[in-house]
Amino acid sequence: MHKQIYQDILALVQTPTRYTGNEINAVKKDLKKVALTFALVFPDLYEIGTSHFGLQILYSILNKHENIAAERFFMPAPDMEAYLLEKNIPCLSMESQRQLKDFDIIGISLLYELNFTNILAMLSLSHIPFYSRERENAFPLIIGGGPCTFNPEPLADFFDAFVIGDGEEVAVQISNQVIEFKQQGDGQKKTLLKLLSKIDGVYVPSFFEPSYNGNGIQTLSPLFENYKIVKRAFLPALTKDSFPTSPILPFGKPIHDRLRLEIARGCSRGCRFCQAGMIYRPVRERSLEDLIEIAHTSLKTTGHSDISLLSLSTGDYSNLPQLMERLLDLSQGYCNAISLPSIRAEKLTPELMNIIKKVRKTGFTIAPEAGTQRLRDIINKNLTEESITATVKNAFNLGWKNIKLYFMMGLPFETSEDIEAICSLSKRLASTYAKGKTIINVSANTFIPKAHTPFQRCAQITLAETKEKLQYLKDNLRHKKLNLKWQSPEMSLVEGVWARGDRKLSKLLVAAFEQGCRLDGWNDKFDFSLWQNAFEETGIDPLFYTFRKRDEAEPLPWDVIDSGVLPDFLKKEFQKAKQASLTPDCRENDCTGCGVCDFKKIKPVLYEIQKTDKKTDLIQGAGLKRIPDDAFKKFELSFSKLEKARFFGHLELATIFQRAIKRSGLFAKYSQGFNPLMQLSFDNALPVGMESEEEILFIYLEKDMALNTIIDNLNKTLPEGLCITGCKHFNRLKGKNQDTSSYIIKFSDLCLEKEKVAAFLDLPEFIVEDLSKKKKIRKTDLRKSVKKISFIDLQTIEMVLQKYNERNVRPMEILTKYFKIDENLIKKARIKKITCV
């Protein structure tokens, strides 16, 4: 019953394809035939979650095991959440629409502190108790993973366990242990947690007892002698086995709508403010050969045109020029862009610069972090003003139009001169190098001291200080080539509380959820007044967690977590910061003694620089075939768009067909120029939610292709609900659009009154006015556009419409403007455009 009501709701919400779940490369298993069900929960909107590479990795790894079924959940948007609450429908999985509470393991991605209220929202919708102590049964077992677990304490009361560190091997170990536990039939949650605590990287918060001194400082006491510290899980090397070569192709517009290649993990530059640079050590590169093979396979399985190179420091990859050259050879014009988000000036060799000139540019970010050299040395940025200047100059010369400069406010030992220098440096760069249509976006955000960094004991500046510094930037960064952007100071305050908090914050999260806090990471959804109410209700003082320096004797909430970086190393780095003394990059210098590497199992994985080989990769089927324009011919394809496919918007549909054509092995004609586009067009654009037995698209394919081959190849690659029903050579003389369209409309709640239909059909005319695309008033006679309305049964009608002044009139316009039916009632109706015989 839930599933049917859920499908009805989809017709009413914005972007329904966030919830349909019929994406290409999604894995659907018979849940009755597997030993373990694993819910992968991303507590943010679909377009964010489907862009996250970590989720893709876990989904692929778990589903490779025949006895494990992993399915996805995302935070519903506000309109969807409201409908689910109204209809008492729980969160349902994308793949099988199974309830969240029915899964054995619920694995929640913890990437961003401002997503925490979304976790409670999803648990509440699913009727799952918030606190782990209230969930007496072993299942569902709720586990968190991701960078926020390096201070898991603010969420400790809600989770049964956390995974600290790399999750690829741990996720499988946990799954196998749970399967074995289920087979043994013990059923006791504590027994299972004891078994899981023996796995490297697994933190069970209930095995530690919190206590608080008179100042409210938390100390954790272990309940078991052999479980006092939890060591981070390490993946020794990045291999092909753990890479998702058939990632799910999201619908809609995901934040990162391109093939994502993780070229390396970890960073050795040692920025003292950067948590990621500490907790993902050591640097582990993927081999060049592995990356080319992965890209070749993934381009075939996805049909992507753009590639993004993922790494904390992409420019440091040992064989970056060779990688980019071979990726371009591999795609042979079908790769429109390679995203190279940032690269230092000293890495821009002439060879690399020539390669960069060949690809369409996406965004480019330079992160000085601080305006003065003094403060950059304090934070160990190892970046000079000369290097920043050269990088900006080179980026603009190589064709980038938009450059982002990233700065932080409130860094330790910051002075007013440092804030002033942000303005002077940015304006100097803009005046000197930003010419024509180029622009420099300056991003300024509040520094938040994070766990396991040399600055973890520092104070975060107050809200008033943040606003004062921000106002100075607003007043002094006025330049026609500069655009200032910033995170809300209030958002930074709340983020800082959660980043540095302890278990006392569990009541704050519940209070914030009950106040209505949702999607706090979105500027248009964040409401600081609700958080202020929650602080007041719970008696939590945010300044206790943010604007308070922690002395060396004070225990930290995250002390039980061993990130691999030695506490003494962090202390030494803080002392060096006081002296503005630099620590060199261990990649190119001696070991700095951070303690992560044992130089046996855990050590840097770097590859020797290869000589550039101009020879094209001899891999078949990755788009290497070059075809002259005169080898193509225009084809007319008819297709049906039914069931779940009715929710595809026009732009979604175009992307789906383009990628399906690439995956099918068919070769289409592209436009000329720097950004080649597939020459594909549609006869008409259907409204979202409408089905059709026959739509028409036009595409240029190789002229000798057999018509049946085109149909068969495409139908193997299209998602559920889309089907090619016919194919023929385009004939300009016979290509005139059909003037009449027939629709079957089945109402769920009501139907039209026969008397009112008869009255409409008796009218000589019914004129309505609206604005055309050119913003001009146009008049349409709806009566002359309706050829026929007839009743099939009490809830179903057939409506035949014809063009009026070359305009296609749709059924909704008739139903709303004359019959005055509410739009939501029409959306819930099933409207199908049928083939006229």
Side-chain angles (χ1 to χ4, degrees):
M1 179 163 177
H2 280 154
K3 292 183 182 180
Q4 183 55 53
I5 299 175
Y6 190 75
Q7 291 301 315
D8 292 340
I9 290 173
L10 293 185
L12 303 176
V13 298
Q14 290 185 337
T15 322
T17 47
R18 283 171 170 161
Y19 314 103
T20 53
N22 56 325
E23 308 107 313
I24 295 296
N25 295 333
V27 179
K28 298 182 180 181
K29 297 184 179 182
D30 185 343
L31 301 187
K32 296 177 181 178
K33 296 181 179 180
V34 297
L36 181 79
T37 54
F38 203 126
L40 293 172
V41 175
F42 196 94
D44 207 333
L45 297 182
Y46 174 86
E47 49 265 45
I48 302 292
T50 51
S51 298
H52 183 241
F53 187 66
L55 188 71
Q56 296 175 10
I57 290 175
L58 292 178
Y59 186 82
S60 173
I61 286 175
L62 292 170
N63 278 316
K64 282 180 181 177
H65 295 263
E66 289 187 7
N67 60 343
I68 300 173
E71 299 193 348
R72 299 160 299 140
F73 291 79
F74 302 98
M75 175 66 188
D79 59 344
M80 185 61 156
E81 183 186 6
Y83 281 120
L84 294 179
L85 285 168
E86 178 188 337
K87 302 295 183 182
N88 195 28
I89 297 175
C91 287
L92 303 178
S93 69
M94 297 292 292
E95 285 74 9
S96 67
Q97 280 75 59
R98 189 181 194 181
Q99 294 187 54
L100 181 60
K101 68 178 183 180
D102 291 339
F103 281 75
D104 296 319
I105 298 176
I106 298 174
I108 302 178
S109 297
L110 303 175
L111 302 178
Y112 185 30
E113 291 84 357
L114 295 185
N115 285 344
F116 287 177
T117 54
N118 301 340
I119 297 169
L120 297 194
M122 297 180 76
L123 294 179
S124 177
L125 282 170
S126 303
H127 307 293
I128 298 173
F130 292 160
Y131 292 96
S132 58
R133 62 178 178 268
E134 297 173 351
R135 302 189 299 269
E136 296 180 358
N137 297 328
F139 304 110
L141 185 74
I142 299 182
I143 301 175
C148 290
T149 64
F150 282 83
N151 178 22
E153 290 310 290
L155 297 176
D157 289 339
F158 306 113
F159 281 75
D160 299 311
F162 296 93
V163 172
I164 316 296
D166 299 320
E168 287 94 333
E169 294 179 349
V170 181
V172 176
Q173 291 172 338
I174 289 174
S175 299
N176 289 335
Q177 184 64 77
V178 170
I179 290 171
E180 184 179 339
F181 172 81
K182 289 177 66 179
Q183 292 171 344
Q184 291 172 350
D186 183 305
Q188 295 297 311
K189 185 176 183 178
K190 189 173 182 179
T191 303
L192 176 58
L193 293 177
K194 280 187 175 181
L195 293 170
L196 296 180
S197 70
K198 297 176 182 178
I199 299 172
D200 282 349
V202 174
Y203 170 52
V204 180
S206 61
F207 289 177
F208 293 83
E209 188 68 34
S211 59
Y212 304 90
N213 66 14
N215 295 321
I217 307 300
Q218 174 180 293
T219 301
L220 290 179
S221 301
L223 300 183
F224 301 100
E225 192 64 28
N226 61 348
Y227 191 63
K228 295 182 177 180
I229 293 289
V230 177
K231 292 186 176 182
R232 168 196 156 197
F234 287 90
L235 188 67
L238 305 181
T239 66
K240 291 183 294 184
D241 295 338
S242 61
F243 197 99
T245 52
S246 296
I248 290 173
L249 279 177
F251 297 135
K253 191 64 178 174
I255 299 300
H256 299 292
D257 194 14
R258 55 180 72 101
L259 177 63
R260 314 193 78 199
L261 285 181
E262 185 191 30
I263 63 175
R265 192 176 300 179
C267 179
S268 54
R269 290 195 172 270
C271 299
R272 293 175 179 132
F273 60 86
C274 181
Q275 185 185 53
M278 297 292 165
I279 65 175
Y280 290 124
R281 294 183 174 205
V283 174
R284 290 146 290 165
E285 293 184 344
R286 290 189 194 274
S287 75
L288 180 59
E289 296 305 322
D290 277 1
L291 285 169
I292 295 302
E293 185 175 336
I294 287 168
H296 158 245
T297 303
S298 299
L299 287 171
K300 287 178 64 177
T301 61
T302 62
H304 274 301
S305 296
D306 296 351
I307 295 175
S308 179
L309 305 182
L310 298 184
S311 172
L312 288 175
S313 185
T314 303
D316 288 336
Y317 182 71
S318 298
N319 287 285
L320 185 60
Q322 296 83 345
L323 174 62
M324 292 190 66
E325 188 71 63
R326 292 182 68 181
L327 287 175
L328 286 174
D329 285 343
L330 189 66
S331 57
Q332 290 284 296
Y334 293 91
C335 176
N336 294 349
I338 296 177
S339 175
L340 189 64
S342 179
I343 185 166
R344 294 180 179 229
E346 63 269 23
K347 299 289 184 179
L348 278 172
T349 62
E351 178 187 25
L352 184 55
M353 290 170 72
N354 285 330
I355 296 169
I356 291 173
K357 287 178 181 178
K358 299 178 185 178
V359 297
R360 178 168 58 86
K361 310 301 184 292
T362 56
F364 192 94
T365 300
I366 304 166
E369 314 291 357
T372 63
Q373 193 62 50
R374 180 194 69 87
L375 191 51
R376 286 195 292 273
D377 289 347
I378 286 173
I379 64 178
N380 203 48
K381 186 61 186 178
N382 279 307
L383 192 62
T384 65
E385 186 165 326
E386 291 76 17
S387 178
I388 296 167
T389 301
T391 304
V392 170
K393 177 182 177 181
N394 287 330
F396 279 138
N397 288 340
L398 288 169
W400 270 278
K401 301 299 183 186
N402 298 292
I403 291 178
K404 178 180 177 182
L405 296 177
Y406 186 90
F407 294 97
M408 284 189 285
M409 304 175 290
L411 284 162
F413 313 110
E414 180 184 84
T415 67
S416 59
E417 286 79 11
D418 297 303
I419 298 298
E420 292 169 8
I422 293 175
C423 301
S424 58
L425 174 60
S426 300
K427 287 192 287 189
R428 188 162 57 251
L429 292 171
S431 297
T432 307
Y433 301 111
K435 307 297 182 183
K437 296 182 179 180
T438 59
I439 193 78
I440 295 178
N441 293 310
V442 178
S443 175
N445 294 315
T446 308
F447 166 67
I448 299 171
K450 293 287 180 95
H452 306 283
T453 68
F455 293 155
Q456 62 183 351
R457 293 182 177 273
C458 295
Q460 181 176 333
I461 60 174
T462 64
L463 192 58
E465 288 177 294
T466 302
K467 290 181 177 180
E468 181 182 349
K469 293 175 190 287
L470 182 57
Q471 189 59 51
Y472 180 88
L473 294 178
K474 290 178 181 179
D475 293 339
N476 291 277
L477 271 174
R478 291 174 180 172
H479 189 286
K480 64 180 181 180
K481 291 295 182 180
L482 290 178
N483 181 24
L484 177 64
K485 298 183 178 181
W486 62 91
Q487 184 184 50
S488 156
E490 291 82 4
M491 291 174 73
S492 297
L493 172 66
V494 174
E495 181 182 344
V497 170
W498 291 104
R500 299 159 61 74
D502 54 26
R503 295 194 188 187
K504 295 196 299 290
L505 293 184
S506 58
K507 61 183 179 181
L508 174 67
L509 191 64
V510 174
F513 162 76
E514 291 174 344
Q515 286 286 333
C517 294
R518 306 284 192 281
L519 298 168
D520 297 298
W522 294 77
N523 288 325
D524 60 334
K525 304 292 189 300
F526 179 80
D527 187 340
F528 188 55
S529 67
L530 300 181
W531 280 99
Q532 289 176 305
N533 294 341
F535 285 127
E536 184 176 349
E537 178 186 329
T538 57
I540 297 290
D541 180 4
L543 297 183
F544 176 81
Y545 296 100
T546 56
F547 187 62
R548 185 175 65 82
K549 186 178 179 180
R550 322 289 173 95
D551 63 45
E552 289 295 335
E554 179 180 326
L556 298 171
W558 50 86
D559 277 345
V560 297
I561 305 300
D562 180 1
S563 69
V565 178
L566 296 171
D568 282 347
F569 174 79
L570 298 178
K571 292 176 184 177
K572 288 177 183 177
E573 282 297 293
F574 184 69
Q575 293 304 314
K576 292 178 77 172
K578 286 182 177 180
Q579 301 159 10
S581 175
L582 294 171
T583 298
D585 186 342
C586 67
R587 185 188 192 110
E588 299 163 351
N589 297 275
D590 293 336
C591 174
T592 57
C594 74
V596 166
C597 298
D598 60 13
F599 298 102
K600 295 176 183 177
K601 181 181 179 182
I602 304 170
K603 58 186 177 182
V605 179
L606 306 172
Y607 290 90
E608 291 185 5
I609 298 175
Q610 297 186 13
K611 292 183 179 180
T612 303
D613 185 359
K614 296 297 183 182
K615 181 179 66 176
T616 299
D617 292 87
L618 298 176
I619 301 177
Q620 298 299 314
L624 300 187
K625 189 174 179 180
R626 289 189 181 277
I627 305 172
D629 283 354
D630 60 6
F632 292 100
K633 188 171 185 177
K634 190 173 183 179
F635 290 81
E636 179 180 321
L637 278 66
S638 55
F639 66 94
S640 58
K641 182 172 177 274
L642 305 171
E643 300 297 336
K644 289 183 178 180
R646 73 187 188 274
F647 296 121
F648 295 143
H650 184 62
L651 294 178
E652 284 180 280
L653 199 62
T655 301
I656 288 167
F657 270 105
Q658 288 167 12
R659 291 177 178 167
I661 288 165
K662 294 182 73 172
R663 291 194 311 277
S664 71
L666 299 174
F667 287 89
K669 184 179 179 181
Y670 282 75
S671 62
Q672 300 297 314
F674 203 55
N675 183 21
L677 299 175
M678 188 180 291
Q679 295 197 348
L680 175 149
S681 62
F682 293 86
D683 182 46
N684 222 325
L686 277 185
V688 173
M690 183 181 290
E691 296 178 280
S692 177
E693 292 181 345
E694 184 176 273
E695 293 297 298
I696 303 295
L697 70 86
F698 305 101
I699 177 91
Y700 284 87
L701 300 171
E702 292 177 90
K703 60 186 177 184
D704 295 330
M705 288 295 299
L707 301 181
N708 285 339
T709 300
I710 294 172
I711 294 173
D712 293 342
N713 286 11
L714 271 178
N715 279 335
K716 291 175 184 176
T717 61
L718 287 170
E720 176 187 346
L722 292 177
C723 181
I724 304 297
T725 56
C727 178
K728 61 185 178 182
H729 297 288
F730 175 70
N731 187 329
R732 185 173 283 103
L733 297 177
K734 296 183 179 180
K736 190 176 180 181
N737 294 342
Q738 188 172 303
D739 290 335
T740 303
S741 300
S742 295
Y743 301 88
I744 300 295
I745 305 171
K746 186 174 181 62
F747 294 94
S748 58
D749 299 320
L750 58 88
C751 194
L752 301 182
E753 297 175 9
K754 291 186 177 182
E755 295 78 6
K756 201 163 186 178
V757 170
F760 174 75
L761 294 176
D762 285 341
L763 291 174
E765 64 179 15
F766 186 76
I767 306 293
V768 296
E769 292 184 353
D770 65 351
L771 289 177
S772 68
K773 291 181 180 179
K774 296 181 179 179
K775 304 300 181 183
K776 293 183 178 180
I777 295 176
R778 64 178 179 183
K779 295 183 178 182
T780 303
D781 187 341
L782 293 186
R783 176 59 193 89
K784 287 187 173 60
S785 353
V786 177
K787 193 172 183 180
K788 170 186 173 185
I789 299 178
S790 60
F791 286 80
I792 295 174
D793 58 37
L794 293 176
Q795 287 190 296
T796 311
I797 63 169
E798 180 180 2
M799 185 181 291
V800 181
L801 303 179
Q802 55 194 359
K803 281 189 176 181
Y804 180 84
N805 289 340
E806 296 303 312
R807 182 180 168 228
N808 288 310
V809 177
R810 300 295 188 189
M812 179 173 276
E813 195 170 356
I814 310 291
L815 296 172
T816 55
K817 292 186 176 178
Y818 177 79
F819 292 98
K820 306 298 182 184
I821 299 178
D822 182 77
E823 281 194 18
N824 278 348
L825 293 177
I826 301 171
K827 287 178 180 178
K828 288 169 67 175
R830 294 294 289 268
I831 303 178
K832 181 190 292 186
K833 184 180 173 186
I834 62 173
T835 306
C836 294
V837 180

